[in-house]
Amino acid sequence: MRSFHLEIRISPRPGLLNPEGNAVQHALESLGYDSVKDVRVGKTFYVQLSAADEDAARTLAEDMSRRLLANPVTEDFRIEVSELAEVPA
Amino acid sequence: MRSFHLEIRISPRPGLLNPEGNAVQHALESLGYDSVKDVRVGKTFYVQLSAADEDAARTLAEDMSRRLLANPVTEDFRIEVSELAEVPA
């Protein structure tokens, strides 16, 4: 098994209600940042896992995103996979 | 003024307690994903703002991150700036 690092980036779909982003925008405005036009907030999961190869790691990540990490109705996700170098003992 | 899109990525510093990541990891294990070794959770702010140029946009983003978006004790942040094309009327 090889070790992989995944970055799973979850972002809200455009056009949906965006309460968290609006709250952050208002907080920024109250600090004087009035050039801000729009704020949206997403999440990133940094995951380390073992898998046979990069394809298997990506398939696992897609599966986890659909089943748990992302809300398929309101969120999109994007996955980056990189292999972790083996550290010699 | 020109329009810029910022991606401000907030990630937890390594080595700190990580309750949210641990909760996600346990949830993944209970769904059968037992090859997962570590999970950390970060946030991304997608911000649109107007600024005189790219340097000004980046300076604003760093400032907002330090003052509001990131916790300087527990989190790191990284900023990507891209200019939004003007849409002809």
Side-chain angles (χ1 to χ4, degrees):
Chain A
M1 297 294 259
R2 290 148 62 188
S3 285
F4 294 90
H5 177 80
L6 310 170
E7 261 189 55
I8 302 174
R9 300 172 68 174
I10 315 282
S11 55
R13 294 226 165 119
L16 293 175
L17 281 178
N18 174 36
E20 189 176 0
N22 292 340
V24 171
Q25 185 176 351
H26 288 308
L28 287 169
E29 280 167 4
S30 75
L31 289 172
Y33 299 104
D34 44 16
S35 61
V36 173
K37 305 295 178 224
D38 186 54
V39 179
R40 296 197 158 255
V41 186
K43 270 193 174 182
T44 305
F45 295 92
Y46 305 92
V47 176
Q48 251 176 265
L49 53 68
S50 50
D53 56 31
E54 188 174 324
D55 280 352
R58 182 175 296 276
T59 301
L60 267 174
E62 287 174 4
D63 214 48
M64 296 187 304
S65 300
R66 286 214 185 80
R67 288 182 70 193
L68 181 74
L69 304 177
N71 178 331
V73 177
T74 61
E75 296 172 324
D76 292 317
F77 62 87
R78 200 153 29 121
I79 295 166
E80 283 165 42
V81 181
S82 52
E83 184 160 5
L84 292 173
E86 291 294 322
V87 180
Chain B
M1 297 293 260
R2 291 148 63 187
S3 286
F4 294 91
H5 177 79
L6 310 170
E7 259 189 56
I8 302 175
R9 300 172 67 172
I10 315 281
S11 56
R13 294 225 164 122
L16 293 175
L17 282 178
N18 174 36
E20 190 176 0
N22 292 340
V24 171
Q25 185 175 351
H26 288 308
L28 287 169
E29 280 168 4
S30 74
L31 288 173
Y33 300 103
D34 44 17
S35 61
V36 174
K37 305 294 179 222
D38 187 54
V39 179
R40 296 197 156 256
V41 186
K43 270 192 173 182
T44 304
F45 296 92
Y46 305 91
V47 176
Q48 251 176 267
L49 53 69
S50 51
D53 56 31
E54 188 174 323
D55 279 352
R58 183 175 295 276
T59 301
L60 267 175
E62 288 175 2
D63 215 47
M64 295 187 304
S65 301
R66 285 212 185 80
R67 286 181 72 193
L68 181 74
L69 304 177
N71 178 332
V73 177
T74 61
E75 295 172 325
D76 293 318
F77 62 86
R78 200 153 28 121
I79 295 166
E80 283 165 42
V81 181
S82 52
E83 184 160 6
L84 292 173
E86 291 294 323
V87 180

